[in-house]
Amino acid sequence: MQLGMIGLGRMGANLVRRLMRTGHRCVVFNRTRGPVDALVGEGAIASNSLVDLVGKLDKPRAAWVMLPAGEPTESTVSELCRLMEQGDIVIDGGNSFYKDDVRRAQALQTRGVHYVDVGTSGGVWGLERGYCMMIGGDTEAVLRLDPIFSALAPGPGDIPRTPGREGRDARAESGYIHCGPSGSGHFVKMVHNGIEYGLMQAYAEGFSILRAAAERPGVERYELELADVAEVWRRGSVISSWLLDLTASAFASDPKLESFQGYVQDSGEGRWTLMTAIESAVPANVLSAALYARFRSREERSFADRMLSAMRKGFGGHVEPKSRGS
């Protein structure tokens, strides 16, 4: 299948690479030329503008936008709306707010263009591990794109089947689902990221307590090797997870996490999750505390904050901003 990819950052470029590995053809565009040239060297087709990209796609076209949420995505989708024709598909695979998806889908529908929102999880490891995808949009468009989603997804792998799933959507076992109409994919991904904040905060606070044991009085003082604690918890513990894997890796290379300042950013989804929780009158104590902890990290930074930074770099390649004095 052929796909246009707009935005060749950390994830966009690797989405293209994973697709080309399985025989899909990709037309690529990026604001700067370097990433385009790199992918052309690997078999992609270059384009120098959105007009050029649309012109090089076979009808009915499919174009995937992988840009930061907000104005970059908004302006790109608006231009694609003008360029695409009836039956074409515009895909937003970034971290857009689900209410923006609903509005965009309605605007594209007036031209007969399908809009599909894809909450994409996998970070910088997705090229090898595959991408977990939560998809919103009309059934016709989602089914047409199934070869793309199937190629990008992790596949069943060696994870045991969940008992009692007989008769349910098998795509979930491969790492992707059609959540429902427009906006539902990013809605599920939004809550996914809110939960991620809470899980990360729990690990960070727990390891901070372990670290503080070195300051306890007398016989209660324990000099714990946090790298070994993280490693043993990875193996058979009920709190094992990929985030714990990344934590163990960070401790192994930097036991005191001295390479991190502890300035923890938030990319928006945590805030949107809490806004939605408030609108639905759903208590979200843990998620709200985790978000506020990130706000606090920008004023006063702790060991727990350095752990959060280490995990964010581990799964998403997120780099702390330079301090003002540097």
Side-chain angles (χ1 to χ4, degrees), residues 104-324:
R104 292 171 189 152
Q106 292 172 345
L108 268 69
Q109 188 177 37
T110 63
R111 293 180 55 83
V113 177
H114 302 279
Y115 180 88
V116 174
D117 53 286
V118 182
T120 312
S121 181
V124 295
W125 298 88
L127 176 60
E128 301 302 330
R129 292 169 57 106
Y131 298 89
C132 173
M133 290 168 289
M134 297 136 269
I135 305 160
D138 65 82
T139 301
E140 176 189 344
V142 173
L143 288 177
R144 194 197 311 169
L145 294 168
D146 192 73
I148 296 294
F149 299 137
S150 178
L152 292 174
D158 57 1
I159 299 174
R161 295 195 69 185
T162 300
R165 275 200 56 84
E166 294 79 8
R168 293 185 176 273
D169 191 343
R171 293 174 293 184
E173 296 180 347
S174 291
Y176 67 108
I177 56 171
H178 181 197
C179 300
S182 297
S184 63
H186 278 149
F187 184 90
V188 175
K189 178 58 161 54
M190 173 188 74
V191 178
H192 162 285
N193 283 27
I195 293 171
E196 176 187 293
Y197 283 29
L199 292 173
M200 292 172 67
Q201 190 66 30
Y203 281 127
E205 292 177 7
F207 275 93
S208 291
I209 296 170
L210 294 174
R211 181 173 179 265
E215 306 299 326
R216 293 188 62 79
V219 294
E220 297 181 10
R221 182 179 295 116
Y222 306 121
E223 298 283 350
L224 300 170
E225 288 290 342
L226 300 189
D228 292 345
V229 173
E231 188 63 31
V232 76
W233 282 353
R234 293 180 61 215
R235 303 177 184 278
S237 164
V238 296
I239 62 168
S240 60
S241 71
W242 185 32
L243 287 172
L244 186 59
D245 295 345
L246 297 171
T247 299
S249 178
F251 277 136
S253 60
D254 185 1
K256 296 183 179 180
L257 304 182
E258 292 176 328
S259 61
F260 297 93
Q261 297 179 49
Y263 185 108
V264 188
Q265 293 179 303
D266 70 288
S267 51
E269 298 90 338
R271 301 186 191 204
W272 298 336
T273 302
L274 292 181
M275 289 164 50
T276 304
I278 292 169
E279 291 173 354
S280 302
V282 174
N285 304 41
V286 172
L287 306 191
S288 60
L291 178 62
Y292 292 144
R294 295 193 176 199
F295 294 164
R296 181 203 44 74
S297 77
R298 299 162 203 176
E299 299 175 355
E300 180 184 351
R301 300 164 199 175
S302 65
F303 180 78
D305 298 328
R306 296 204 298 276
M307 269 196 65
L308 293 173
S309 286
M311 283 186 272
R312 292 186 84 242
K313 183 178 181 182
F315 66 74
H318 303 287
V319 179
E320 294 177 326
K322 293 182 179 179
S323 60
R324 294 179 180 178

